Amino acid sequence: MNLPQAFIERTRQLLGETQYLPFEEALQTEVPVSIRPNVLKGAKEVEGEPVPWASSGWYLKNRPTFTFDPLFHAGYYYVQEASSMFVEKVLREYVKEPVVMLDLCAAPGGKSTLCRSVLPEGSLLVANEVMRNRSQILAENLIKWGHPEIVVTNNDPADFTDLTHLFDVVLTDVPCSGEGMFRKDQVAVDEWSLENVDVCWKRQRRILNDIWPALKPGGLLIYSTCTFNREEDEDNVEWIARELGAEVLSVPVEEAWGITGNLTRKDFPVYRFLPHRTKGEGFFLAVLRKHEGVVETIQLRPEKKKKGKDTKGKAPQLVVPKEVKSWLQDAGSYEYTVKETSVHAFPKAFVDVYALLERYVKVIHAGITIGELKGKDLIPHHSLAMSTALEEGVFPKAELTYEQVIAYLRKEGLILDAFIPRGYVLVTYQQVPLGFVKNIGNRANNLYPQEWRIRSGYLPEEIVTVWEIF
């Protein structure tokens, strides 16, 4: 890897000569692979080395063939850089009661799925992504993760400004110059420049300034980047504390973890993950608490009238089928609605928050999408199959072989065993739900989402999965 000369000079000055040499050498080494099993779905531990700052994080000995691992598609685990799992330490240290949390720059979903796993029960997570195509990936990963107390949005940070004091916790993993991704992504090396660093730290301050009004007084801001330079790291943390009004907080760490502190000789704590000292990619994190003050009520905007919506000649409003309330555990804790032809369930505890979000931002997924009404039929949705709230025994199950699973994930047709009843069937692999089919006897119609299918038409000679090898 040929590092930009300006990057070398700046980073050598930041780290010092003694630390810079092993740092540059580490950038030439292989990237360690790490995952988090989904404990919400009862995922087992794996054979590997535990990530010391994450309760369910593991380094793997080999890189699995993730595309061809059925449990990956089932949301049974998530592939995430070990360094970024440090967000768990922050949440466990400072978040003890149920909260409403925003993950502002959330795609593809690693930190969102982590937060949703460790937040106190009864919390709501709002995960946002400004890029439309990336927001769809974020929604896919959170649907697969299966927790019902989530909302996925597709908005610019400025769209949250008027949601005054809505959030108890805001995670801003801001877009950055990506120096921490150099050994993983050659494009990050090729696109690096001093001009881009300058653009990034200014953009980060604009994002922080936009979202600050939405954080409650006394609320928690988790600021993180995947870069090394001080402008995007310590200098921005100092700016937040000084200009926006916050106290920088500390997080307990162990010396053996190799986490590096503040490199600017300032007296506030930050947490740097450098590749020659910690096992993982480059990462920076700081925790700040917004100064106390009076919590203000959101000043509601007038609801916008939807263009082209005329009540004359409008089709009658569809009603929620009675049977869906037997499909969920603790069914009484949800509010059920029909939007166009889709049936949805959302936690009652947060219907007011959801109503505000729908008025101010673009919501692309919330709670559980239960099914699609088609005539007199209710077709169960993939979101229901992935949800940890699905009631056991509602649908008959069909355990698939590995070969059948790959066909299913490619959205090919299946033939189930003769004893499987007709109708909607939940297909599983190693007893883990994968999705629905409609069994019509001589074949089963595949209901796996078209946009999520495996597009590759071949199988590798050796398939390495997390829990077994074929």
Side-chain angles (χ1 to χ4, degrees):
M1 179 194 307
N2 294 318
L3 297 171
Q5 187 59 37
F7 170 80
I8 293 173
E9 293 171 0
R10 286 160 52 83
T11 310
R12 178 179 276 120
Q13 183 179 8
L14 183 66
L15 298 179
E17 191 68 28
T18 303
Q19 290 296 312
Y20 179 77
L21 293 176
F23 166 83
E24 184 175 300
E25 184 178 341
L27 289 182
Q28 315 298 327
T29 62
E30 190 173 331
V31 179
V33 180
S34 49
I35 68 164
R36 282 184 297 102
N38 189 347
V39 295
L40 301 171
K41 293 191 173 184
K44 304 171 289 185
E45 292 185 353
V46 300
E47 290 187 8
E49 176 189 346
V51 177
W53 47 82
S55 60
S56 60
W58 297 86
Y59 298 104
L60 301 183
K61 296 178 182 178
N62 301 303
R63 185 174 187 85
T65 321
F66 293 120
T67 300
F68 297 98
D69 186 346
L71 297 181
F72 172 71
H73 297 276
Y76 202 65
Y77 66 91
Y78 194 94
V79 185
Q80 184 182 7
E81 290 294 338
S83 301
S84 64
M85 296 182 196
F86 187 69
V87 171
E88 176 180 340
K89 290 295 294 182
V90 178
L91 294 177
R92 293 200 185 278
E93 178 69 18
Y94 288 106
V95 181
K96 308 294 186 182
E97 303 293 335
V99 294
V100 178
M101 177 176 179
L102 171 65
D103 185 356
L104 183 63
C105 312
K111 295 180 189 67
S112 291
T113 54
L114 171 64
C115 293
R116 188 55 277 178
S117 295
V118 302
L119 283 172
E121 199 59 37
S123 298
L124 179 69
L125 175 70
V126 180
N128 177 71
E129 171 57 41
V130 65
M131 303 297 291
R132 183 179 179 277
N133 60 334
R134 285 170 56 83
S135 70
Q136 298 298 326
I137 296 169
L138 173 63
E140 175 184 341
N141 285 326
L142 278 166
I143 288 170
K144 287 177 177 177
W145 203 246
H147 200 292
E149 293 178 327
I150 57 109
V151 178
V152 182
T153 60
N154 171 211
N155 288 84
D156 186 89
D159 296 330
F160 290 90
T161 302
D162 290 341
L163 287 166
T164 311
H165 299 170
L166 181 62
F167 300 105
D168 303 285
V169 183
V170 174
L171 168 60
T172 55
D173 185 47
V174 288
C176 67
S177 57
E179 296 164 356
M181 295 291 106
F182 276 6
R183 65 175 172 175
K184 181 180 179 181
D185 185 2
Q186 181 61 41
V187 175
V189 181
D190 297 338
E191 292 184 350
W192 186 91
S193 68
L194 289 174
E195 293 76 17
N196 191 41
V197 170
D198 190 58
V199 167
C200 285
W201 72 257
K202 291 175 180 176
R203 178 173 56 204
Q204 290 153 3
R205 293 188 185 186
R206 190 271 293 177
I207 291 171
L208 292 161
N209 199 59
D210 286 342
I211 198 60
W212 196 250
L215 179 63
K216 286 181 181 177
L220 204 67
L221 176 77
I222 305 170
Y223 176 80
S224 65
T225 75
C226 59
T227 203
F228 301 121
N229 67 75
R230 62 173 290 169
E231 291 93 336
E232 299 177 72
D233 292 348
E234 285 96 341
D235 290 355
N236 267 353
V237 173
E238 185 176 26
W239 177 84
I240 296 167
R242 182 184 68 249
E243 298 296 329
L244 299 181
E247 174 193 3
V248 187
L249 304 177
S250 62
V251 182
V253 297
E254 295 183 19
E255 187 175 348
W257 297 351
I259 299 172
T260 303
N262 197 314
L263 294 177
T264 64
R265 299 182 181 178
K266 299 294 176 65
D267 61 357
F268 55 85
V270 300
Y271 303 89
R272 283 180 169 273
F273 291 72
L274 302 174
H276 66 295
R277 291 181 54 84
T278 53
K279 193 172 182 180
E281 290 292 39
F283 186 64
F284 172 91
L285 182 142
V287 190
L288 301 100
R289 189 181 300 284
K290 187 174 184 177
H291 289 337
E292 295 287 350
V294 178
V295 177
E296 298 178 14
T297 303
I298 297 170
Q299 299 299 311
L300 291 178
R301 297 174 185 164
E303 286 195 80
K304 293 181 180 180
K305 293 183 179 180
K306 295 182 179 179
K307 294 180 180 179
K309 297 291 183 180
D310 191 348
T311 55
K312 292 182 179 180
K314 188 176 180 181
Q317 178 65 42
L318 298 174
V319 298
V320 177
K322 293 180 180 179
E323 65 266 26
V324 303
K325 296 183 181 180
S326 67
W327 291 3
L328 297 180
Q329 303 169 28
D330 194 17
S333 65
Y334 297 91
E335 182 176 87
Y336 300 85
T337 57
V338 178
K339 297 182 179 180
E340 296 183 348
T341 59
S342 294
V343 181
H344 301 266
F346 191 79
K348 283 182 178 178
F350 296 107
V351 291
D352 291 342
V353 175
Y354 183 36
L356 285 171
L357 291 168
E358 283 198 303
R359 183 172 290 195
Y360 283 81
V361 297
K362 180 183 178 183
V363 175
I364 62 173
H365 176 76
I368 307 164
T369 305
I370 293 184
E372 193 77 19
L373 291 166
K374 193 171 183 180
K376 295 182 179 180
D377 199 9
L378 176 60
I379 304 169
H381 195 274
H382 194 74
S383 170
L384 179 66
M386 293 291 95
S387 179
T388 56
L390 175 62
E391 183 68 78
E392 182 69 25
V394 170
F395 296 94
K397 292 182 180 179
E399 175 74 7
L400 302 183
T401 65
Y402 180 78
E403 291 73 18
Q404 287 177 309
V405 168
I406 297 302
Y408 176 73
L409 294 173
R410 286 173 171 158
K411 202 169 171 57
E412 298 171 359
L414 296 176
I415 299 176
L416 303 180
D417 291 336
F419 64 85
I420 302 295
R422 296 192 181 200
Y424 294 110
V425 175
L426 183 67
V427 295
T428 64
Y429 178 72
Q430 297 184 8
Q431 305 304 315
V432 179
L434 289 169
F436 290 109
V437 297
K438 186 174 184 180
N439 188 25
I440 58 176
N442 59 338
R443 71 178 191 281
N445 293 336
N446 193 331
L447 301 181
Y448 193 73
Q450 176 74 15
E451 62 275 16
W452 296 6
R453 73 191 189 282
I454 295 177
R455 290 172 170 79
S456 175
Y458 81 100
L459 278 177
E461 290 184 8
E462 182 184 27
I463 299 170
V464 180
T465 65
V466 172
W467 280 276
E468 59 186 356
I469 298 176
F470 291 91

